[in-house]
């Protein structure tokens, strides 16, 4: 397992408005590594590439991080911490209404996948982690799946959602949201908020309640949004 870095891993963002996104505070090493991984992938990036971008020597980089995998681990932890606190805050904000909780959690995940697309895209690099690190990351990421499953189970218990397999439905919805990082890019035709609204509509329809389209005038993908 990769030992703890001498360079502090970025803290969990300060709690506040889960819809508000400020630039991620990363060290120069993590900032440049993130860009390199996004452009060339983890396998296609070398420690020398990262050091060159930062403007330090390779030994200097190793002073802060044991190896390239340790850099990836630090970035993955930043990503998971960010999405998990936002999803939890979104769920808490909506009270005990299952429909509102599901809508908020899905919105929070989609906003993370778009506003933090470079961090979110790192999930596909999980295969390069050593077993111990992979298990640790999977366990942390599982918290998000557990939250969404509990929201859906609560909706089923209250007779709000028509779902027979809550856990599988939660995994399907998360897979749908996480796939956004594979195609989304800044400057695309839809803003993050518009994408989130459409995915909330899909999620609500999936669990058997009326989606946002019928309540806001939002058209489904392929048509124009109500925002014009």
């Amino acid at each position: 397992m990769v030992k703890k870095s001498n360079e502090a891993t970025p803290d969990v963002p300060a709690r506040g408005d889960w819809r508000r996104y400020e630039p991620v505070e990363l060290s120069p090493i993590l900032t440049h590594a993130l860009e390199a991984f996004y452009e060339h992938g983890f396998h296609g990036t070398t420690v020398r590439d990262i050091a060159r971008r930062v403007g330090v020597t390779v030994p200097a980089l190793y002073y802060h991080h044991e190896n390239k995998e340790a850099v990836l681990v630090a970035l993955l932890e930043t990503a998971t911490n960010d999405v998990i606190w936002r999803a939890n805050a979104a769920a808490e904000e909506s009270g005990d209404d299952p429909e509102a909780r599901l809508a908020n959690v899905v919105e929070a995940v989609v906003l993370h996948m778009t506003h933090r697309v470079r961090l979110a895209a790192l999930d596909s690099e999980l295969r390069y982690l050593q077993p111990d690190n992979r298990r640790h990351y999977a366990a942390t990421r599982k918290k998000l799946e557990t939250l969404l499953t509990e929201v859906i189970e609560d909706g089923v218990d209250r007779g709000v959602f028509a779902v027979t397999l809550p856990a599988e439905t939660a995994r399907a919805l998360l897979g749908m949201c996480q796939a956004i990082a594979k195609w989304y890019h800044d400057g695309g035709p839809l803003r993050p908020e518009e994408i989130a609204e459409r995915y909330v509509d899909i999620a609500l329809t999936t669990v058997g309640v009326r989606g946002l389209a019928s309540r806001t005038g939002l058209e489904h993908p392929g048509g124009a949004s109500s925002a014009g």
Side-chain angles (χ1 to χ4, degrees):
M1 182 174 181
V2 174
K3 69 181 181 182
K4 182 175 179 61
S5 167
N6 291 326
E7 183 180 66
T9 299
D11 294 330
V12 177
R15 301 308 194 257
D17 184 354
W18 56 270
R19 291 187 177 94
R20 182 177 179 180
Y21 280 82
E22 301 291 347
V24 182
E25 294 185 4
L26 296 173
S27 70
I29 291 175
L30 294 181
T31 297
H32 288 286
L34 178 60
E35 291 300 321
F37 292 160
Y38 187 69
E39 294 170 9
H40 305 294
F42 177 81
H43 186 68
T45 300
T46 67
V47 172
R48 189 174 298 279
D49 292 335
I50 299 172
R52 177 180 53 78
R53 287 172 180 249
V54 180
V56 299
T57 64
V58 170
L61 190 149
Y62 281 139
Y63 175 79
H64 296 289
H65 298 276
E66 182 182 11
N67 51 34
K68 188 174 67 167
E69 182 180 348
V71 175
L72 177 60
V73 167
L75 289 169
L76 285 171
E77 288 181 352
T78 300
T80 53
N81 285 341
D82 185 75
V83 68
I84 287 171
W85 86 257
R86 290 178 187 277
N88 279 316
E92 292 172 5
E93 180 183 278
S94 54
D96 63 354
D97 178 357
E99 185 175 340
R101 291 184 73 205
L102 178 61
N104 272 13
V105 171
V106 170
E107 180 183 355
V109 175
V110 174
L111 290 179
H112 169 83
M113 294 296 158
T114 49
H115 284 291
R116 300 279 194 253
V117 64
R118 285 168 173 74
L119 282 171
L122 291 176
D123 190 73
S124 64
E125 308 290 3
L126 179 63
R127 63 189 183 277
Y128 293 114
L129 296 181
Q130 293 298 314
D132 284 349
N133 286 319
R134 191 181 305 120
R135 282 191 292 269
H136 175 74
Y137 174 67
T140 303
R141 189 175 57 174
K142 183 73 174 180
K143 295 177 183 178
L144 184 59
E145 181 182 323
T146 298
L147 171 64
L148 189 55
T149 299
E150 291 174 348
V151 170
I152 295 174
E153 287 176 340
D154 181 52
V156 172
D157 292 342
R158 293 174 179 229
V160 178
F161 299 159
V163 172
T164 56
L165 301 170
E168 287 77 2
T169 301
R171 283 194 290 271
L173 291 178
L174 280 179
M176 172 186 75
C177 294
Q178 290 167 340
I180 293 172
K182 297 180 179 179
W183 57 262
Y184 176 81
H185 60 87
D186 297 333
L190 293 175
R191 294 180 293 105
E193 293 73 20
E194 292 175 306
I195 297 172
E197 194 170 20
R198 294 181 180 208
Y199 273 62
V200 166
D201 182 37
I202 294 170
L204 292 175
T205 301
T206 299
V207 298
V209 298
R210 294 174 62 191
L212 292 180
S214 61
R215 291 179 290 169
T216 66
L218 176 73
E219 295 185 12
H220 289 281
S225 72
S226 58

